[in-house]
Amino acid sequence: MADTPLYLNNVTGLLDVDSMVQGILQPKLKTLNKLQQDKATLQIKNTAIANLLGAIKSAQSSIDSLNVENLFKNKSVVVGDSSILSASATKDTPNVSLNLTVSQLSQTETRISTQGVESLSSSIDATTFDLKYYTSNTDYQTFTINFGGGNLQNLVDTINQSQDKVTASVFYDGSSYKLMLAEKSAEASTKETQDQDTVIQIEGNFPAVLGGLTTLQEAKNTKIQIGTNTIESPGATVNNLLPGLTVNVKNTGSTSITIKDDYSAVSSELSKVLDNLNSVLSLVKSNTDKGQLFQGNAMLTQVKTQFLTNFQPLIKLGIINVDNEGKFSINTSTLNSLLEKNPDQVKEAIYEFKDNFSKTLTNLNSAFNIFQSRQNLQIELIDKKISSLQEAIAKEESKLRLTFSKIEALLYRNDQLKAKLQSFATPLSESK
C-alpha cells in the first residue's frame, strides 16, 4: 500500500497559503457566522419564552386554585377578654354575640398511697392488682398490674409499662416515700371526682405496705355558663360550643364573644393572583420594549390588552388600580367598603375575573408552547445547515491546502532549477 504524500504549507515562504485559503473560503465562512448568530438569537429568544411560560403557568396555577366561594365563608371571632379564653369559628358558625362565664377550669385527678416506705430501697412483696380508669361515670378500662416484687421504683415502672392512662411516680411527703398516680390527660375522661367516687381506682391485692389510695387533687371538667345553660368539657378545649365554634379556656371569669363574617382572605388571595399576573406583564414589557428581542411582536404585545380586558369586572367596581408601569394592584379601601355593603357583587365580579383569566392563560400557554416548538425546529434546521456547511468548508480547505502545497512545491523546484542554471551559466561567462 503506497504511503499518502505529505504536503507542508509555507515551508519555503513563497506562498501565504493561510491568507489565500481564508480569502477563498471567506463567503462560506460569513454564511457560517451568520447561521451561528441566528442560532444564538433563537436560543436567547427561547430562554425568554421559557421564562414567560413559567410565569404564565404560575399565574394559571394561582387562578385555578382560587376558591372564590371559600373566600366569602370565613368567620372571625372577637373575644372581649382574651385572658379568659380564645376562640375560632368555621363557615358553619352563625353570626351572633354571646356573653358567657367560665365558672370552672379542668384539672386532672391525682391520688397517692395512704402509707409509704422509709427508703427507696425498701422491699415490696410481689403481688397482682387491677388499676381501673374511668373514662366516664359509667365506662372504665381495667389494667392488670403483675408486680414481681422489688422496690417502690420497680412498682412505678411496672405500672407505667402496663397501661397508658395513668402516670405512676414516687411522692415524698417529708417522712416516707409513697406511690402517686395521676391522669395523663384531662381530655381522656369526662368523669369528675365525687368524694370516694374517683377516676383512678385500685382493686385486688394492692401492696399492703402502701395502705390504700387517697385523693390529692380532684378531677374537674371545664364548665361554661351561657344564660341558664352549662356546657362541660373534660379539657381546656371546648369543641362546638356553637356549630363550628371552638373555645380554648385559660381562666375563670366572664367575657363576650362576637362572631362575624371575615372577608380578609378576599384581599390577600387576590393580591397573590395579582402578583403572578404582574410577573407575566413584567416579562412581556422587558421583552417588547424598544431594542428588545420581541419589539413589535404582536403575539406578546397583545397580552397586556388581553389582561386589561380580563380585569374589567374588577376595574368597573373600582377595586383594581393600574399604575403608569401597567401593573395592577388592589384598592383596599374600596374593596373593604364593597365587601361590607354588597359582598355578593364582589363575589360575582371575582368569579367573572377568574373565568376570563382561566381561559386566557390556557390559550396563552398553548400558543407560546407552539411558538417555542417552532423556534426549536428552526434551531434544529440551522444546526443541520451549520453541520453541513462546516463539513463542506473543512473538505474545501483540505483540497485548497493540498493544491497550494503542490504549487508551492513546484515553485520551489523551479527556484532550485533556476539557481542551478544560474550557477552553471556563471562559469561559462567567465571562460570567455
Side-chain angles (χ1 to χ4, degrees):
M1 180 177 179
D3 293 334
T4 302
L6 177 64
Y7 296 96
L8 300 177
N9 293 324
N10 294 336
V11 173
T12 64
L14 297 174
L15 293 176
D16 186 354
V17 174
D18 286 335
S19 296
M20 295 173 71
V21 169
Q22 290 296 315
I24 294 171
L25 294 177
Q26 193 61 34
K28 290 183 179 178
L29 290 172
K30 284 184 177 179
T31 301
L32 177 62
N33 185 55
K34 177 64 168 56
L35 287 171
Q36 290 171 332
Q37 288 177 347
D38 290 345
K39 177 185 174 181
T41 300
L42 284 171
Q43 287 175 325
I44 294 172
K45 285 185 174 182
N46 245 3
T47 299
I49 293 299
N51 292 336
L52 183 58
L53 272 170
I56 290 172
K57 289 175 182 177
S58 294
Q60 189 170 24
S61 177
S62 67
I63 282 288
D64 291 343
S65 62
L66 184 65
N67 192 320
V68 182
E69 201 63 34
N70 282 349
L71 297 181
F72 292 83
K73 288 184 176 180
N74 294 324
K75 298 293 180 75
S76 63
V77 183
V78 179
V79 178
D81 189 343
S82 58
S83 68
I84 295 175
L85 57 84
S86 61
S88 61
T90 69
K91 59 183 179 63
D92 299 319
T93 309
N95 290 352
V96 295
S97 291
L98 297 174
N99 291 311
L100 54 82
T101 299
V102 178
S103 58
Q104 179 174 285
L105 300 179
S106 68
Q107 65 181 30
T108 55
E109 183 179 88
T110 302
R111 306 193 74 194
I112 61 172
S113 59
T114 57
Q115 299 176 27
V117 293
E118 294 182 357
S119 170
L120 289 175
S121 61
S122 298
S123 179
I124 300 176
D125 294 337
T127 187
T128 298
F129 59 91
D130 289 335
L131 187 155
K132 295 175 70 175
Y133 180 80
Y134 278 80
T135 56
S136 69
N137 288 327
T138 56
D139 299 321
Y140 59 85
Q141 291 179 261
T142 301
F143 304 96
T144 299
I145 310 299
N146 294 307
F147 178 55
N151 57 35
L152 182 57
Q153 185 60 53
N154 296 143
L155 176 60
V156 165
D157 294 340
T158 301
I159 293 172
N160 287 333
Q161 292 165 9
S162 301
Q163 48 76 50
D164 61 355
K165 298 298 182 183
V166 173
T167 299
S169 58
V170 176
F171 178 83
Y172 183 64
D173 67 359
S175 60
S176 63
Y177 296 93
K178 298 181 177 182
L179 175 68
M180 183 168 72
L181 301 174
E183 283 188 274
K184 279 190 174 183
S185 170
E187 287 80 4
S189 174
T190 59
K191 184 179 179 67
E192 291 188 309
T193 305
Q194 300 290 334
D195 297 326
Q196 296 305 310
D197 188 12
T198 58
V199 177
I200 302 169
Q201 297 183 20
I202 295 292
E203 290 183 353
N205 299 316
F206 191 63
V209 69
L210 298 178
L213 291 179
T214 186
T215 302
L216 186 66
Q217 176 177 285
E218 294 183 344
K220 292 184 179 180
N221 292 331
T222 295
K223 292 183 179 180
I224 298 177
Q225 300 288 139
I226 303 178
T228 59
N229 299 307
T230 300
I231 294 92
E232 289 192 35
S233 175
T237 301
V238 182
N239 294 312
N240 291 317
L241 185 66
L242 295 176
L245 179 63
T246 299
V247 171
N248 293 299
V249 173
K250 303 175 185 177
N251 291 298
T252 57
S254 298
T255 185
S256 62
I257 289 182
T258 302
I259 299 98
K260 59 182 181 179
D261 292 319
D262 181 4
Y263 299 124
S264 59
V266 176
S267 178
S268 61
E269 292 303 312
L270 271 182
S271 292
K272 293 177 185 177
V273 173
L274 262 60
D275 287 343
N276 283 288
L277 293 174
N278 282 329
S279 294
V280 175
L281 290 173
S282 179
L283 285 173
V284 168
K285 184 178 185 303
S286 65
N287 283 290
T288 56
D289 279 345
K290 186 176 180 180
Q292 297 304 313
L293 286 171
F294 293 99
Q295 179 186 347
N297 185 296
M299 188 176 179
L300 272 78
T301 55
Q302 70 177 347
V303 172
K304 183 177 180 180
T305 303
Q306 288 177 302
F307 275 30
L308 185 61
T309 300
N310 292 343
F311 268 112
Q312 286 307 306
L314 303 181
I315 292 175
K316 289 177 181 177
L317 294 180
I319 60 179
I320 292 292
N321 296 325
V322 187
D323 64 18
N324 294 332
E325 296 295 320
K327 289 188 176 181
F328 297 89
S329 61
I330 295 175
N331 186 331
T332 307
S333 60
T334 301
L335 175 59
N336 290 338
S337 177
L338 283 172
L339 286 171
E340 186 176 344
K341 295 175 183 177
N342 193 348
D344 288 340
Q345 184 183 27
V346 178
K347 184 197 293 187
E348 184 180 347
I350 294 176
Y351 265 122
E352 187 178 353
F353 155 82
K354 177 183 178 178
D355 186 57
N356 290 346
F357 266 107
S358 182
K359 294 174 182 176
T360 294
L361 292 171
T362 298
N363 292 336
L364 286 176
N365 184 62
S366 176
F368 281 112
N369 269 309
I370 293 172
F371 183 76
Q372 189 178 50
S373 297
R374 289 174 178 171
Q375 290 200 139
N376 285 332
L377 182 59
Q378 285 182 275
I379 291 172
E380 289 177 13
L381 292 174
I382 290 175
D383 272 335
K384 290 180 180 178
K385 290 181 180 180
I386 288 174
S387 179
S388 177
L389 186 56
Q390 285 175 330
E391 185 178 345
I393 289 173
K395 288 181 179 179
E396 186 171 353
E397 181 179 5
S398 179
K399 289 179 181 179
L400 287 170
R401 289 188 181 280
L402 179 61
T403 300
F404 283 125
S405 68
K406 290 179 179 179
I407 294 173
E408 187 178 28
L410 180 61
L411 290 174
Y412 177 72
R413 286 196 295 271
N414 288 340
D415 280 350
Q416 292 292 100
L417 180 60
K418 180 180 178 181
K420 287 182 180 180
L421 289 173
Q422 287 177 342
S423 65
F424 177 75
T426 299
L428 290 176
S429 62
E430 291 177 351
S431 64
K432 289 181 179 179

